[in-house]
Amino acid sequence: MILSAFLNNTPCVTFMIPILISWGRRCGVPIKKLLIPLSYAAVLGGTCTSIGTSTNLVIVGLQDARYTKAKQYNDAKFQIFDIAPYGVPYALWGFVFILLTQGFLLPGNSSRYAKDLLIAVRVLPSSSVVKKKLKDSGLLQQAGFHLSGIYRDGKFVSKPDGSWLLEGGDILYVAGEFDVVEFVGEEYGLGLVNAEAEAAAERPFTTGEETVFTATGGAPYQKLVQATISKTSDLIGRTVREVSWQGRFGLIPVAIQRGNGREDGRLNDVVLAAGDVLILDTTPFYDEEREDSKNNFEGKVRAVKDGAAKEFVVGVKVKKSSEVVNKTVSAAGLRGIPGLFVLSVDRADGTSVDATDYLYKIQPDDTIWIATDIGAVGFLSKFPGLELVQQEQVDKTGTSILYRHLVQAAVSHKGPIVGKTVRDVRFRTLYNAAVVAVHREGARVPLKVQDIVLQGGDVLLISCHTNWADEHKHDKSFVLVQPVPDSSPPKRSRMVIGVLLATGMVLTQIIGGLKGKEYIHLWPCAVLTAALMLLTGCMNADQARKAIFWDVYLTIAAAFGVSAALEGTGVAASFANGIISIGKNLHSDGAALIAIYIATALLSELLTNNAAGAIMYPIAAIAGDALKISPRETSVAIMLGASAGFINPFSYQCNLMVYAAGNYSVREFAIIGAPFQIWLMVVAGFILCYMKEWHQVWIVSWICTAGIVLLPALYFLLPTRIQLKIDGFFDRVAHAINPKHIIERRNSLRRQASRTGSDGTGTSESPKALGVPKVITA
């Protein structure tokens, strides 16, 4: 929030997304509880200064143009902190809302696909939880990972207590979502068990060698699909075990959605019912158009996850000063990152540690071998304390770090380098570039890049000059030469200079705003700062050009035309009359400002925030002039409203970025966004009505925020028994008001009523009818 008050919102969110994903994975915090607040924080921070967002600059420009033309020079000025008396309380109360409601409004680690699944995982012999009690294993503390039973030696134990000692080979039955269970499995060494593997575990002399991932970093499944049992299916009433899944459908059950009145048991013992949602793995014999599939599955079978191997194997060396030293791979934040999987660790003494050793602590000079897709390469290159194994070769190319980036190049089948190793080709000398990693379809290539014998179709990941792709696009050795976006290495040696220059630019505006005197206009100041960054090597000219968001500039330029057109045609005056009548009828300037805010906020949900501000400004300005409202106060109302795009993920660029990164659904955004929007409308109403008393608003806002932040700290000083009682109370409140649980309770009562006969007595069903095996209750 603080950063986005002085920097563009979009880059703030861009560099924070991978940091939060890594941090959340390490701390067991659901990613979806972090990314929506990240977007909202960037938006709220932008309302604290006039340079916080491009929308504010649009309004500042429109105000300056309007009142300079009218020769009202005092009204034309809008300083950097003129919005702060109102924007800061607005941001603080938004922060308070997130803190108070995150427990029940923000989603957990949910996906857009089936939720509340019954999934089986096996404790691998190398798992970190072997010989540990359940309560000490860390599994019970994982959000979205609820243990419902354990299978060992032919017996299923329902709801084992915390003293249960875990052994290698135990099959754990978990209620949760697939993404969560898969991550926890990778973190703790738990192998996914499908219906066939579960059946094999019942036979004697089976070892159960399931792994979390294959040697190339691919998942232990081919391609997962989601299917729903239709009402006319002949599978209804049969257990999962009784169906010939591979023979009929070319599928293998992996998980099934719980519900239909059944209790948790084993996957193969579940009796199928209409409406059951299954997650299934595909085999080479799977055909979506098969008639049997159409007759038994409702609607279209949807693809869920592709288990294909990661594209590249990359080696990174651990520096002595790295923060990952003496941490496990999990604690270092290298597990659970989308598109990245640790294969092994080569120690400095020549020995190797497999990725399944979850207890090994990374040491200086270790080489970590990682399978990664192209999207995660950028994250890896910017990970502090790690450098590419090929870094020495990269440095020998002589290419300045200012002009380095990564390029993908596929080896031509008839090219001159086919059949030779990277070393034999003398790649660095010949091409003045270094091969960082190699991808080969369907096979794991050796980890030592220099010794790889190149084949036609291999995809090379090359560190080179920014002009390299253009220079070699017609080279007979390669086909499909393509630069990797945003792959320039971080220029850490210029970091201090960059921070000082940016801080200096902001300070010129802060000092001018506090003293009420403009020492240097923001525009020349920003141009001068950019020029100094170019001269000091913080960026190159290409990066500077690409950093210019032309669409934003065009939108801002067009905004002036739209504003002038609305005013010149009389459209703005017509709408302004409505706001004027509100203010006059209620005898309140605050009421008119609230009307401006609400209209702008609603527009910002449907249009871009810049467009909403441009359309509303002439309307609000005419109304403000008629009601003798200060132009600054009118602009503040529009600035706050134009940034209030919280319900629709497509209404704001920051929302759209976290929407994709967090795999949210539109509904999940609306569940938190709609009450957030209403809350901020109320907050904005108070702020706009008491603009003259902004000092009191500030004091109340800061006191309330401090109290809400400090209360949890005081809570941890209480005795544990009191903490548990407080936790229980809030859990009951959250459960009682959760719409999902309300619907579940209502459906449960309906099912209970339908099972009750006319004489008032209930009918009982056999365990088999409910899909419940014989169990032992621990």
Side-chain angles (χ1 to χ4, degrees), residues 580-633:
I580 293 168
S581 62
I582 290 173
K584 287 183 176 179
N585 291 335
L586 296 177
H587 305 288
S588 168
D589 293 347
L593 291 172
I594 291 170
I596 292 169
Y597 171 87
I598 293 174
T600 312
L602 294 177
L603 269 179
S604 70
E605 292 289 359
L606 304 173
L607 308 172
T608 64
N609 49 336
N610 286 331
I615 290 171
M616 280 302 301
Y617 183 78
I619 298 171
I622 292 171
D625 290 344
L627 294 169
K628 301 294 189 293
I629 299 174
S630 163
R632 186 186 68 173
E633 294 177 354

Side-chain angles (χ1 to χ4, degrees), residues 30 38 93 103 180-181 208 210 235 325 447 470 485 496 535 549 560 570 718:
L38 169 64
W93 284 106
V180 181
V181 175
E210 290 80 9
L235 304 179
V325 172
L447 299 180
D470 292 329
V496 174
L535 291 173
F549 298 104
F560 287 88
L718 298 172

Side-chain angles (χ1 to χ4, degrees), residues 44-93:
L44 293 172
T47 64
C48 296
T49 66
S50 64
I51 64 171
T53 176
S54 59
T55 309
N56 292 0
L57 293 173
V58 169
I59 305 305
V60 170
L62 290 169
Q63 179 178 327
D64 183 84
R66 178 184 179 85
Y67 292 100
T68 299
K69 184 178 179 181
K71 297 183 179 181
Q72 296 174 244
Y73 299 110
N74 289 332
D75 290 336
K77 292 181 179 180
F78 194 101
Q79 302 293 338
I80 184 173
F81 288 122
D82 280 355
I83 190 178
Y86 323 105
V88 171
Y90 183 80
L92 287 175
W93 284 106

Side-chain angles (χ1 to χ4, degrees), residues 365-664:
D365 297 324
D366 280 355
T367 299
I368 306 173
W369 295 100
I370 299 172
T372 174
D373 61 22
I374 200 65
V377 170
F379 170 79
L380 197 60
S381 67
K382 295 174 177 63
F383 200 98
L386 302 178
E387 69 175 10
L388 295 171
V389 169
Q390 303 300 318
Q391 191 61 46
E392 185 179 348
Q393 295 292 319
V394 172
D395 293 338
K396 285 181 179 178
T397 62
T399 302
S400 167
I401 193 171
L402 269 176
Y403 296 96
R404 285 182 199 162
H405 74 158
L406 297 176
V407 166
Q408 292 184 85
V411 176
S412 173
H413 286 274
K414 296 182 180 180
I417 63 176
V418 172
K420 300 177 182 179
T421 66
V422 175
R423 192 190 309 275
D424 293 339
V425 172
R426 300 183 68 190
F427 195 95
R428 176 176 54 81
T429 304
L430 184 61
Y431 294 101
N432 194 34
V435 178
V436 175
V438 178
H439 165 61
R440 181 170 297 160
E441 189 68 35
R444 178 180 175 183
V445 296
L447 299 180
K448 305 292 184 183
V449 170
Q450 299 298 318
D451 299 325
I452 296 171
V453 178
L454 299 174
Q455 298 179 8
D458 285 352
V459 180
L460 309 182
L461 191 63
I462 302 169
S463 176
C464 55
H465 194 281
T466 51
N467 296 330
W468 194 91
D470 292 329
E471 293 170 357
H472 292 84
K473 61 183 177 182
H474 300 302
D475 194 317
K476 293 181 179 179
S477 299
F478 310 108
V479 293
L480 301 175
V481 178
Q482 184 179 8
V484 178
D486 302 320
S487 59
S488 297
K491 302 156 190 68
R492 294 189 174 90
S493 61
R494 299 290 187 272
M495 189 182 299
V496 174
I497 296 173
V499 170
L500 289 176
L501 287 173
T503 304
M505 181 192 74
V506 173
L507 283 175
T508 61
Q509 303 305 303
I510 292 176
I511 294 170
L514 293 175
K515 291 197 172 184
K517 181 180 179 182
E518 187 177 72
Y519 293 101
I520 181 171
H521 193 273
L522 179 60
W523 165 245
C525 185
V527 172
L528 178 62
T529 303
L532 290 173
M533 286 189 172
L534 280 168
L535 291 173
T536 54
C538 295
M539 60 180 175
N540 61 45
D542 288 336
Q543 290 170 332
R545 281 193 295 271
K546 290 176 181 176
I548 299 173
F549 298 104
W550 292 110
D551 56 338
V552 174
Y553 287 104
L554 287 171
T555 303
I556 292 173
F560 287 88
V562 170
S563 178
L566 288 172
E567 190 165 358
T569 57
V571 173
S574 299
F575 282 98
N577 287 334
I579 297 173
I580 293 168
S581 62
I582 290 173
K584 287 183 176 179
N585 291 335
L586 296 177
H587 305 288
S588 168
D589 293 347
L593 291 172
I594 291 170
I596 292 169
Y597 171 87
I598 293 174
T600 312
L602 294 177
L603 269 179
S604 70
E605 292 289 359
L606 304 173
L607 308 172
T608 64
N609 49 336
N610 286 331
I615 290 171
M616 280 302 301
Y617 183 78
I619 298 171
I622 292 171
D625 290 344
L627 294 169
K628 301 294 189 293
I629 299 174
S630 163
R632 186 186 68 173
E633 294 177 354
T634 304
S635 294
V636 166
I638 301 173
M639 288 178 182
L640 296 180
S643 292
F646 303 113
I647 303 174
N648 183 1
F650 306 101
S651 64
Y652 206 96
Q653 179 67 21
C654 298
N655 289 353
L656 199 57
M657 291 165 65
V658 301
Y659 173 76
N663 196 30
Y664 291 101

